[in-house]
């Protein structure tokens, strides 16, 4: 597989939109927005037989003495259960980073660790093996934050916007509705 740098906008955006692992913070447009915070967006991915198999938005932040770091909001658009693909992409990104004098790559993938019941007890899915695998190939886990002390909040919620607005709105907490009305 080959690492592709600067994937064309249409191809990149199509891959993110169609992927079950896509997130708006991995979109082409989010990279353009982050330019206002002095990040340089890079749209990279892996091709296997001319077909994209994964992509990433790498936001480069310039540091002193020509060094930089890369931040990948919400991680790569990839199946994190496919260990071979994750490893190959990681290795190629590390090489890319070294060649460009980057000191690290930071990711915060939107991986749901597990489900919780209303009492906060762990139920159902357990994706701790993904976290363990990422650590085994060199990623450092910085612990679990409770609020906004890192790049992204630990807990996020998704709303199905395909439902009628009145239904979505009526299912919101009264305080949330009050804030929206303001």
């Amino acid at each position: 597989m080959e690492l592709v740098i600067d994937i064309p906008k249409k191809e990149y955006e199509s891959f993110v939109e169609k992927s079950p692992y896509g997130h708006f913070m991995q979109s082409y447009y989010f990279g353009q927005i982050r330019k206002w915070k002095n990040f340089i967006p890079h749209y990279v991915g892996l091709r296997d037989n001319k077909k994209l198999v994964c992509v990433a938005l790498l936001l480069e932040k310039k540091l002193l003495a020509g060094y930089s770091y890369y931040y990948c909001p919400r991680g790569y658009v990839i199946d994190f259960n496919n260990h071979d693909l994750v490893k190959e992409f990681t290795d190629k990104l590390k090489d890319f980073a070294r060649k460009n004098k980057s000191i690290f790559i930071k990711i915060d993938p939107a991986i749901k660790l597990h489900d919780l019941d209303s009492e906060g007890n762990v139920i159902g899915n357990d994706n701790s093996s993904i976290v363990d695998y990422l650590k085994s190939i060199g990623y450092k886990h910085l612990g679990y934050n409770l609020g906004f002390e890192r790049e992204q909040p630990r807990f996020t919620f998704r709303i199905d916007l395909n439902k009628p607005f009145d239904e979505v709105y009526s299912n919101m907490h009264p305080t949330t509705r009050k804030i929206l009305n303001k």
Side-chain angles (χ1 to χ4, degrees), residues 129-168:
S129 64
I130 294 173
V131 175
D132 293 339
Y133 178 71
L134 289 172
K135 287 195 273 187
S136 78
I137 61 171
Y139 290 94
K140 293 184 175 123
H141 191 275
L142 300 178
Y144 297 109
N145 58 313
L146 295 176
F148 288 88
E149 59 268 16
R150 298 228 174 77
E151 294 284 340
Q152 303 303 328
R154 178 172 176 194
F155 303 106
T156 58
F157 302 91
R158 296 184 185 185
I159 299 172
D160 183 359
L161 295 176
N162 292 320
K163 295 179 181 177
F165 176 76
D166 293 338
E167 183 181 340
V168 171

Side-chain angles (χ1 to χ4, degrees), residues 8-42:
K9 175 183 174 181
K10 189 174 182 179
E11 183 181 15
Y12 179 89
E13 202 52 27
S14 175
F15 185 90
V16 173
E17 286 177 10
K18 291 176 184 172
S19 173
Y21 312 107
H23 189 280
F24 80 92
M25 292 178 71
Q26 299 160 321
S27 72
Y28 186 91
Y29 302 102
F30 190 75
Q32 297 302 303
I33 289 169
R34 297 301 288 175
K35 284 181 177 180
W36 295 343
K37 292 284 188 180
N38 297 320
F39 282 97
I40 302 164
H42 299 276

Side-chain angles (χ1 to χ4, degrees), residues 10 12 17 22 25 48 50 64 73 85 100 107 114 118 123 128 135 137 146 151 172:
K10 189 174 182 179
Y12 179 89
E17 286 177 10
M25 292 178 71
D48 187 18
K50 299 184 180 183
L64 297 174
L85 184 60
N100 291 291
I107 65 172
H114 46 250
S118 61
I123 58 170
S128 57
K135 287 195 273 187
I137 61 171
L146 295 176
E151 294 284 340
M172 291 181 184

Side-chain angles (χ1 to χ4, degrees), residues 112-117 121-128:
K112 181 166 66 168
L113 190 58
H114 46 250
D115 296 324
L116 302 174
D117 65 14
N121 301 310
V122 176
I123 58 170
N125 296 334
D126 181 8
N127 288 320
S128 57

Side-chain angles (χ1 to χ4, degrees), residues 165 169 172 174-182:
F165 176 76
Y169 186 77
M172 291 181 184
T175 305
T176 304
R177 289 195 300 262
K178 183 179 176 181
I179 292 168
L180 288 174
N181 288 334
K182 277 187 173 182

Side-chain angles (χ1 to χ4, degrees), residues 44-138:
V44 301
L46 275 184
R47 281 196 205 281
D48 187 18
N49 294 323
K50 299 184 180 183
K51 181 182 177 198
L52 281 176
V53 293
C54 61
V55 300
L57 168 60
L58 294 180
L59 298 172
E60 181 181 10
K61 186 69 158 186
K62 295 289 186 181
L63 302 171
L64 297 174
Y67 290 96
S68 66
Y69 74 86
Y70 291 109
Y71 170 52
C72 185
R74 289 304 182 212
Y76 313 135
V77 183
I78 193 170
D79 176 3
F80 280 96
N81 288 302
N82 184 338
H83 292 178
D84 293 336
L85 184 60
V86 171
K87 175 78 167 110
E88 184 162 355
F89 196 40
T90 296
D91 290 344
K92 291 193 185 285
L93 289 178
K94 283 181 181 179
D95 290 341
F96 173 75
R98 269 188 221 102
K99 289 176 187 168
N100 291 291
K101 294 181 71 174
S102 176
I103 56 175
F104 64 85
I105 299 171
K106 179 179 182 176
I107 65 172
D108 55 5
I111 298 169
K112 181 166 66 168
L113 190 58
H114 46 250
D115 296 324
L116 302 174
D117 65 14
S118 61
E119 303 296 316
N121 301 310
V122 176
I123 58 170
N125 296 334
D126 181 8
N127 288 320
S128 57
S129 64
I130 294 173
V131 175
D132 293 339
Y133 178 71
L134 289 172
K135 287 195 273 187
S136 78
I137 61 171

